[in-house]
Amino acid sequence: GKLFKMASCFHYTTFSNFLRSSITNLCLQPVRRSGVVPKRPQKLKYAKFQKNIRAVLPVKPDVLKVPVPSFAQYGIYAKEAKRITPGQLESVRIAIVRNIGKTKTGAKVILRVFPHIPVTKKGTGVRMGKGKGNVDHFISFVKAGSVLFEYDCSNAIKAKKAYKAATYKLPIPIGFVERPPVTVQ
């Protein structure tokens, strides 16, 4: 297929490769300097997507593997699959920042998911037919076991407190994970 560009830095060969790699590549970008979760992607090849039902299939609890944070000491991961909105991600980010303290002490928050899937909606009172509706908002499909946020903090008590505050902001059960200490042999 043709090459196309997304967010001006990633190249994919087909649209299916884009869908497979968007969560792994695009979502590893840290939160921008302003600190606000973006509401929508900068560019998309297609303005409207088809609904992907298989993205939010449930996973059995015994099959779920606990992930390890890649960029920070502590992490928050999803225990169930669900669609997450940018407003929910932003409220979790604010709750974490308020609980871990100022960035002068080495605290940082890294967003691992990005709302890049458009959701269309027709207006109220519009009859059936006449094509697909306009893009209303963007969401991100969160799979069970995927890391949502990673953050560094001065101590583990503040990290647990930030996790507790984040549990009230998301519509899914989440888990707390800590990076294991590195042992040199």
Side-chain angles (χ1 to χ4, degrees), residues 13-122:
T13 54
T14 62
F15 187 66
S16 59
N17 287 349
F18 159 70
L19 288 178
R20 278 190 217 110
S21 63
S22 60
I23 291 180
T24 56
N25 290 339
L26 181 63
C27 304
L28 295 181
Q29 295 178 352
V31 175
R32 291 173 173 67
R33 273 192 194 164
S34 63
V36 179
V37 176
K39 300 270 186 217
R40 56 180 295 136
Q42 292 176 352
K43 293 184 202 173
L44 286 173
K45 183 174 183 184
Y46 301 106
K48 301 171 185 177
F49 284 14
Q50 289 185 341
K51 193 178 283 187
N52 188 359
I53 303 298
R54 287 172 283 161
V56 289
L57 287 177
V59 176
K60 294 178 183 176
D62 56 338
V63 178
L64 181 66
K65 294 180 182 176
V66 177
V68 177
S70 302
F71 303 108
Q73 184 65 29
Y74 306 102
I76 294 174
Y77 70 97
K79 290 185 177 178
E80 287 181 4
K82 188 114 178 177
R83 295 161 37 140
I84 305 291
T85 64
Q88 292 166 342
L89 292 173
E90 177 65 12
S91 64
V92 171
R93 187 195 66 80
I94 290 171
I96 291 171
V97 168
R98 283 183 181 161
N99 283 289
I100 64 174
K102 297 183 179 180
T103 57
K104 291 179 182 176
T105 60
K108 66 177 181 178
V109 178
I110 299 171
L111 174 67
R112 292 285 303 270
V113 294
F114 184 78
H116 65 281
I117 297 171
V119 175
T120 59
K121 187 176 181 182
K122 286 197 166 194

Side-chain angles (χ1 to χ4, degrees), residues 76 79 151 158-167 174-176:
I76 294 174
K79 290 185 177 178
Y151 52 96
K158 284 185 177 181
K160 286 272 191 182
K161 192 176 176 186
Y163 160 71
K164 188 71 174 172
T167 56
I174 57 175
F176 178 77

